[in-house]
Amino acid sequence: MATPHLMIHIVPDKCDFCGCCVGVCPEDAIELKESEIAIIEERCTNCKKCVWACPWDVIEFHRDGINTLPKKLFAIDENQFSKSLSK
Amino acid sequence: MKSEYDIIVVGAGPAGSTAARYAAQKGASVLLLEKDRDVGYPVRCGEAVSHEGVAQFIEPDPKWIAGTITKMKFISPSNTSVTMPIDSNIGYVLERRIFDYELAKIAATNGAEVVTKAYVYDLIKNENGEAVGVKALIKDEKVEIKCKVVIAADGVESRVGKWAGIDTTCHIRDMESCAQVTVSGLNFEEDTLDLYFGKKVSPGGYLWVFPKGKTSANIGVGVTVEEAKKKSAILYLNEFLEKNYPNASILTRIAGGVPCAKPNKVLVKNRVMLVGDAGHQVNPISGGGIISGMIGGMLAAEVAADSIKNQNLKQLSEYETKFHSRLGWRHEVFASIKNAIWGISDETFDSLTLSTLELPMEKRTLAAIFRKALWNKPSMVLEVAKVFLK
Ligand SMILES: Cc1cc2nc3c(=O)[nH]c(=O)nc-3n(C[C@H](O)[C@H](O)[C@H](O)COP(=O)(O)OP(=O)(O)OC[C@H]3O[C@@H](n4cnc5c(N)ncnc54)[C@H](O)[C@@H]3O)c2cc1C
Ligand code: SF4
Ligand code: SF4
């Protein structure tokens, strides 16, 4: 059964959109377009199969749920980015 | 684009383009939808095929052949290698970017309509739950297109079959999690496929070096997801590259998955037909799926076009029998062999390799190696007997 807290997080910008995770997902809980990927929260049971399947190790499992994760648009930390630019 | 077709094919890989080609050739109106911007790119494949396999569909053409292969080299865990001629005498490492493109062109030449950047996100169903069309995002606009039959050629990431009620989830033991690079600027034996085995290199799979001419190669690894739990494919690949090709220039880097399972028992349901990776039509030992997917695509398309012509969609299920007798039964035997040799130890692998080396080159066929192996290790006879008695 889908659990109230999603624990699966695909790290933005690191995914290669290969579909290996989709192929093992028993719940049809991953939406994969040409260069977009998303977990369908209502379906995911946090079974971790996608985490194990990812060849590039870019799917994270967070026991406490992913809502606690800081929201970032890009994998690059923007502060870091602007610092390195102003150097 | 029209609002209705006889057949909609989802996915323009080798299986989908071949299906579209044969369906159109038989007079059906066909729409081929591909989610990516380009047919043939990105390439998630080692690109090796046999001459016989490919030539039954298309005349080999230098423009999509990167290299010609006559030998395979198996490298055992202790680094002993044995070279043997390939069974069908000659094979190719393709340039799939161009090959896949060519297959889609042939489909179009035969009358199929091809649309890229067309992502199928659902089926349209009638009151009986049968597919009577697809819902798609075409260049980010929602459209609904009707049809009589949907051919799902949507690859390892297939979801269309699930929407029709077919269980296409690949068991984690059967899914090979893969990472590959295409390297350049080195020297390779251009006529030889190298395959590395062993628990340290690629547990439950193998690592390949497939040359694309003298100076480039696809170097990749597949490990069963059961093992990838502990260590991901990319880490195995990086270790191998650091050890063997530390100075390689890497031109492409990809991830991928291969469903090395028995072919799906159910290939047809609710007017949806599965072809290629979507139906697990892959040789479960080698992981080769280009040709078997094309065979699946051709058989499905012919049955679909005939069923539509005869106005009898019950006939669609004939495709399951046809695929099984052409290829499916063999893949089932291979899958059983794969399961039997699943636990083979690195030591057994080494002794197998050594015993093969005693055979002269011209006698090194897979069958001879098998016989020799049985002779040296009688306990394997039992394993194999179990496989064939099943
Ligand atoms: C690393 C690796 C190495 C391999 N090496 C070899 C090899 O050496 N030899 C060999 O024979 N096989 C090899 N294979 C297997 C081979 O690549 C596949 O079996 C083959 O590509 C299957 O063809 P297909 O047409 O079924 O699927 P694909 O080629 O995967 O095509 C599926 C297409 O469907 C599209 N699609 C998916 N979902 C949708 C949607 N919802 N809407 C629209 N379009 C969609 C995708 O974008 C894709 O273009 C390898 C695979 C991998 C991952
Ligand atoms: S398996 Fe990993 S790289 Fe491939 S699509 Fe899923 S998250 Fe992305
Ligand atoms: S955790 Fe399980 S259910 Fe959730 S997306 Fe991954 S494979 Fe699917």
Side-chain angles (χ1 to χ4, degrees):
Chain A
M1 222 193 65
T3 43
H5 298 292
L6 184 63
M7 302 173 195
I8 303 295
H9 174 62
I10 302 182
V11 181
D13 288 3
K14 286 194 181 169
C15 171
D16 193 40
F17 313 105
C18 72
C20 189
C21 54
V22 185
V24 298
C25 175
E27 309 298 335
D28 190 21
I30 307 177
E31 189 85 43
L32 171 70
K33 288 163 72 181
E34 180 173 26
S35 46
E36 283 171 64
I37 189 162
I39 308 270
I40 306 168
E41 188 162 354
E42 310 80 69
R43 294 188 192 165
C44 175
T45 59
N46 297 310
C47 74
K48 283 177 90 169
K49 287 185 175 158
C50 56
V51 179
W52 300 327
C54 179
W56 279 11
D57 230 352
V58 305
I59 313 186
E60 294 174 352
F61 181 77
H62 297 275
R63 193 170 295 280
D64 300 328
I66 63 154
N67 290 333
T68 55
L69 293 180
K71 289 229 174 335
K72 262 192 282 176
L73 265 182
F74 301 102
I76 312 164
D77 182 319
E78 281 161 48
N79 290 330
Q80 270 311 104
F81 193 48
S82 48
K83 262 186 228 153
S84 61
L85 280 183
S86 60
K87 256 183 204 162
Chain B
M1 216 175 66
K2 298 182 292 183
S3 60
E4 189 165 354
Y5 294 80
D6 288 334
I7 299 172
I8 293 178
V9 182
V10 184
S17 289
T18 305
R21 161 187 175 181
Y22 284 93
Q25 228 169 49
K26 281 219 159 199
S29 64
V30 181
L31 177 65
L32 173 58
L33 298 175
E34 167 55 51
K35 74 172 164 54
D36 293 348
R37 196 189 66 180
D38 302 281
V39 171
Y41 178 82
V43 177
R44 304 186 188 282
C45 188
E47 306 182 284
V49 291
S50 69
H51 165 80
E52 282 164 359
V54 79
Q56 65 188 308
F57 291 103
I58 175 171
E59 187 65 36
D61 183 335
K63 80 176 173 220
W64 44 259
I65 293 176
T68 302
I69 304 297
T70 55
K71 286 178 282 188
M72 286 212 275
K73 189 198 264 179
F74 294 90
I75 298 111
S76 83
S78 69
N79 238 351
T80 314
S81 68
V82 46
T83 304
M84 57 186 273
I86 55 175
D87 285 348
S88 52
N89 291 325
I90 172 172
Y92 305 114
V93 178
L94 302 175
E95 209 59 83
R96 264 194 70 180
R97 209 181 171 127
I98 306 170
F99 179 73
D100 284 24
Y101 206 82
E102 200 61 29
L103 296 181
K105 258 166 72 181
I106 296 175
T109 313
N110 278 281
E113 207 173 315
V114 188
V115 180
T116 61
K117 257 208 176 299
Y119 174 66
V120 174
Y121 66 91
D122 207 354
L123 294 171
I124 308 170
K125 291 182 185 173
N126 64 13
E127 59 284 358
N128 302 322
E130 292 163 323
V132 291
V134 303
K135 300 179 186 176
L137 269 178
I138 298 185
K139 296 167 192 79
D140 274 332
E141 213 159 297
K142 281 189 176 170
V143 285
E144 299 198 356
I145 317 154
K146 295 245 165 110
C147 65
K148 301 190 177 84
V149 175
V150 174
I151 297 186
D154 47 342
V156 65
E157 69 265 46
S158 179
R159 298 175 67 209
V160 175
K162 291 184 180 172
W163 301 335
I166 311 176
D167 181 11
T168 58
T169 307
C170 186
H171 192 286
I172 57 164
R173 190 195 49 204
D174 294 326
M175 181 65 88
E176 292 285 317
S177 176
C178 305
Q180 181 184 270
V181 290
T182 303
V183 302
S184 208
L186 297 166
N187 282 317
F188 297 98
E189 274 174 77
E190 60 178 327
D191 60 349
T192 309
L193 301 179
D194 288 353
L195 306 167
Y196 293 77
F197 294 88
K199 302 239 183 307
K200 289 216 176 81
V201 188
S202 53
Y206 62 89
L207 185 147
W208 61 89
V209 179
F210 291 173
K212 300 182 80 166
K214 268 197 180 71
T215 58
S216 298
N218 291 330
I219 305 183
V221 64
V223 296
T224 155
V225 170
E226 196 71 71
E227 291 287 337
K229 268 183 196 176
K230 294 172 248 164
K231 184 171 161 185
S232 304
I234 186 77
L235 299 176
Y236 286 99
L237 181 62
N238 287 345
E239 277 171 21
F240 180 84
L241 290 173
E242 267 163 39
K243 192 168 151 213
N244 297 281
Y245 300 100
N247 301 320
S249 291
I250 294 172
L251 303 190
T252 311
R253 201 186 280 276
I254 56 100
V258 191
C260 292
K262 283 186 182 169
N264 249 73
K265 267 230 150 57
V266 180
L267 290 172
V268 183
K269 195 171 178 180
N270 290 325
R271 302 192 188 173
V272 169
M273 306 170 95
L274 304 178
V275 303
D277 281 9
H280 302 170
Q281 294 175 336
V282 174
N283 176 331
I285 292 185
S286 69
I290 301 172
I291 303 302
S292 40
M294 292 172 77
I295 292 174
M298 174 185 72
L299 296 176
E302 288 178 346
V303 171
D306 285 343
S307 307
I308 291 167
K309 213 178 275 166
N310 302 337
Q311 299 188 342
N312 176 16
L313 296 183
K314 289 216 168 62
Q315 215 186 310
L316 289 177
S317 61
E318 282 177 14
Y319 162 55
E320 278 175 4
T321 342
K322 284 197 171 157
F323 184 79
H324 186 83
S325 56
R326 174 84 185 262
L327 211 58
W329 71 273
R330 259 174 61 187
H331 286 186
E332 278 178 23
V333 172
F334 287 161
S336 303
I337 295 179
K338 187 182 110 173
N339 291 339
I341 57 177
W342 179 257
I344 192 170
S345 68
D346 280 2
E347 291 74 35
T348 313
F349 227 111
D350 281 326
S351 71
L352 257 170
T353 316
L354 286 174
S355 60
T356 309
L357 277 178
E358 291 162 16
L359 291 168
M361 183 73 156
E362 67 280 6
K363 290 212 174 130
R364 288 179 194 167
T365 64
L366 270 184
I369 290 174
F370 221 50
R371 273 199 301 277
K372 186 94 181 154
L374 292 180
W375 188 254
N376 282 12
K377 193 162 182 301
S379 65
M380 259 189 89
V381 179
L382 260 177
E383 294 289 289
V384 174
K386 273 192 266 170
V387 168
F388 286 98
L389 289 176
K390 256 185 209 161

